[in-house]
C-alpha cells in the first residue's frame, strides 16, 4: 500500500514528528522539547500529543505506516527504547504507545543513527552505493546502508562508528570502553580538550559551537582541537572503509555545522591515514538534510513496511 506515512524522531533534547509523502516531501512537521521528568507517562503524553497534532495537519489521505527513529539503546524487535538521555524511559514500549494513532498499520522502530543514514541515502540519491552516516553531536552515532538497506546487525546496533577503538591507550569513553572515536570527537569532548589546552570562551558557552567560531577566526587552540577531532573521525572512517569497502560517508549532527574547520582536516587526515586504493577512494560529504535526515529515514522504513 502506498500513501503518506508518519515519521517520529525521539531524542534527548527534542521530539519531532512529520507526515512524509512517498516521494520524500514533508507535508507537515512539528517539534517539542523532550520533557525532563522521571515519569515515563509524562514523556509519553508529550510524544502522543505531538504525533496526533502532526497527523491531523497532514494530508487527508489515510496514513499507511509509522516509522520511529530513537536515541538508543533500543530493541527494534521488541519495540522498546531506553534512551541514555531520557531517564524516564527504560524498556519503554514506544511502538505499543503509538499504535493507537495508526491502528492496523505497520509500525517500525530503528536507531536514530540508522534513520539518519537511511534518510541521507534516500534523499541524497546514493542508489546502490554503500553509505556510512555519522552523527557528531553530544555523542558520535551512525548507521550503515548497504545495498540500499540499513545493515542492522545481530541486535539492531550495527554502525556504531563512535565506539570503534582508535587509540588503544586513549581516554575512557562514556560507553565504558576506552579510546573510542566518541571519546575524542564528540562535541563535549572536543570542547573539553580545548579548555584543557587553555582555550577561553569568555562569557560564551564552553561548547563545540563556540569553539568552531573561534577556529574559523583563527584561534590556534580551537583549530588544533578540530584537527584532533577530525583525525579521530578519519581513523574511524578509514577503519570502517577497510572493513566494508565504503563508497560515501555523510556527516551530520551539530558539530558538523563547524564546516571547513572540521571537514578540511578530516579529508586531509583520511588521505594521510588510508593506504589501500579502495579505502582512499571513500568520499566524505556534509549532510544536506540536517535535522530532517532522521525523520526521512524513519519515513523510508515506514514506506518499505507499508509496501511489504
Ligand atoms: Zn565508546
Amino acid at each position: 500500500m502506498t500513501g503518506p506515512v508518519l515519521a517520529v524522531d525521539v531524542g534527548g533534547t527534542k521530539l519531532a514528528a512529520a507526515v512524509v509523502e512517498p516521494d520524500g516531501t514533508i507535508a507537515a512537521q512539528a517539534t517539542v522539547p523532550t520533557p525532563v521528568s522521571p515519569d515515563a507517562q509524562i514523556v509519553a503524553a508529550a510524544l502522543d500529543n505531538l504525533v496526533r497534532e502532526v497527523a491531523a495537519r497532514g494530508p487527508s489521505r489515510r496514513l499507511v505506516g509509522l516509522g520511529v527513529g530513537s536515541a538508543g539503546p533500543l530493541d527494534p524487535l521488541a519495540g522498546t527504547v531506553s534512551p541514555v538521555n531520557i531517564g524516564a524511559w527504560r524498556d519503554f514500549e514506544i511502538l505499543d504507545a503509538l499504535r493507537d494513532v495508526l491502528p492496523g498499520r505497520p509500525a517500525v522502530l530503528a536507531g536514530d543513527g540508522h534513520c539518519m543514514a537511511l534518510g541521507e541515502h534516500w534523499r541524497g540519491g546514493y542508489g546502490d552505493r554503500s553509505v556510512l552516516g555519522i552523527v557528531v553531536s553530544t555523542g558520535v552515532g551512525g548507521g550503515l546502508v548497504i545495498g540500499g538497506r540499513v545493515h542492522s546487525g545481530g541486535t539492531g546496533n550495527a554502525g556504531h562508528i563512535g565506539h570503534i577503538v582508535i587509540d588503544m591507550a586513549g581516554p575512557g569513553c562514556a560507553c565504558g570502553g576506552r579510546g573510542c572515536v566518541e571519546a575524542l570527537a564528540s562535541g563535549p569532548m572536543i570542547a573539553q580538550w580545548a579548555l584543557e589546552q587553555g582555550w577561553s570562551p569568555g562569557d560564551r558557552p564552553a561548547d563545540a559551537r563556540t569553539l568552531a567560531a573561534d577556529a574559523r577566526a583563527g584561534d590556534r587552540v580551537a583549530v588544533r582541537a578540530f584537527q584532533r577531532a577530525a583525525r579521530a573521525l578519519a581513523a574511524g572512517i578509514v577503519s570502517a572503509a577497510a572493513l566494508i569497502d565504503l563508497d560515501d560517508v555523510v556527516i551530520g549532527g551539530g558539530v558538523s555545522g563547524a564546516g571547513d574547520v572540521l571537514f578540511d582536516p578530516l579529508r586531509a587526515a583520511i588521505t594521510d591515514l588510508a593506504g589501500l586504493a579502495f579505502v582512499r577512494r571513500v568520499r566524505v560529504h556534509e549532510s544536506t538534510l540536517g535535522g530532517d535526515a532522521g525523520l526521512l529515514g524513519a519515513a523510508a522504513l515506514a514506506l518499505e513496511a507499508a509496501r511489504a
Side-chain angles (χ1 to χ4, degrees):
M1 180 176 289
T2 59
V5 294
L6 189 56
V8 175
D9 186 16
V10 173
T13 55
K14 67 179 174 65
L15 308 172
V19 173
V20 181
E21 297 280 4
D23 67 357
T25 306
I26 294 177
Q29 184 174 12
T31 300
V32 295
T34 305
V36 179
S37 167
D39 185 338
Q41 292 312 314
I42 286 177
V43 185
L47 180 63
D48 191 73
N49 288 340
L50 171 74
V51 164
R52 288 180 191 281
E53 188 232 327
V54 169
R57 282 203 283 121
S60 57
R61 286 174 292 140
R62 190 162 179 207
L63 298 166
V64 300
L66 170 69
V68 180
S70 175
L74 71 166
D75 185 335
L77 296 178
T80 59
V81 299
S82 310
V84 171
N85 293 318
I86 305 179
W89 282 0
R90 287 297 170 263
D91 294 326
F92 177 71
E93 296 179 334
I94 193 165
L95 289 187
D96 275 355
L98 292 171
R99 216 173 284 279
D100 284 355
V101 179
L102 290 182
R105 300 298 183 200
V108 288
L109 171 67
D112 50 4
H114 291 193
C115 289
M116 176 271 186
L118 189 58
E120 295 285 354
H121 176 272
W122 179 31
R123 299 300 294 154
Y126 289 99
D128 290 334
R129 301 170 71 83
S130 294
V131 175
L132 170 66
I134 306 179
V135 181
V136 188
S137 180
T138 310
V140 177
L144 279 168
V145 180
I146 299 171
R149 301 181 65 86
V150 171
H151 177 72
S152 296
T155 66
N157 285 289
H160 263 89
I161 184 80
H163 301 287
I164 284 185
V165 176
I166 54 163
D167 182 351
M168 288 187 289
C173 180
C175 73
R178 179 171 295 284
C180 301
V181 172
E182 180 172 304
L184 286 91
S186 73
M189 296 308 283
I190 299 172
Q192 182 184 316
W193 185 86
L195 288 167
E196 290 167 3
Q197 302 300 312
W199 173 59
S200 174
D203 54 7
R204 300 166 300 164
D207 59 18
R209 180 191 290 255
T210 304
L211 187 67
D214 284 3
R216 284 192 288 273
D219 181 288
R220 287 173 59 89
V221 172
V223 168
R224 279 173 48 220
F226 277 96
Q227 287 173 338
R228 178 174 177 270
R231 193 166 178 85
L233 284 169
I237 289 167
V238 166
S239 302
L243 188 67
I244 295 150
D245 196 0
L246 284 174
D247 295 304
D248 298 275
V249 177
V250 185
I251 302 181
V255 175
S256 72
D260 291 348
V261 296
L262 178 69
F263 284 89
D264 287 350
L266 174 57
R267 292 190 177 98
I270 289 174
T271 301
D272 180 47
L273 293 171
L276 297 168
F278 80 91
V279 178
R280 294 175 69 84
R281 75 187 177 88
V282 69
R283 293 200 307 195
V284 172
H285 314 269
E286 194 171 343
S287 166
T288 55
L289 300 175
D292 290 341
L295 282 169
L296 290 165
L301 288 173
L303 286 162
E304 184 187 0
R307 279 194 298 267

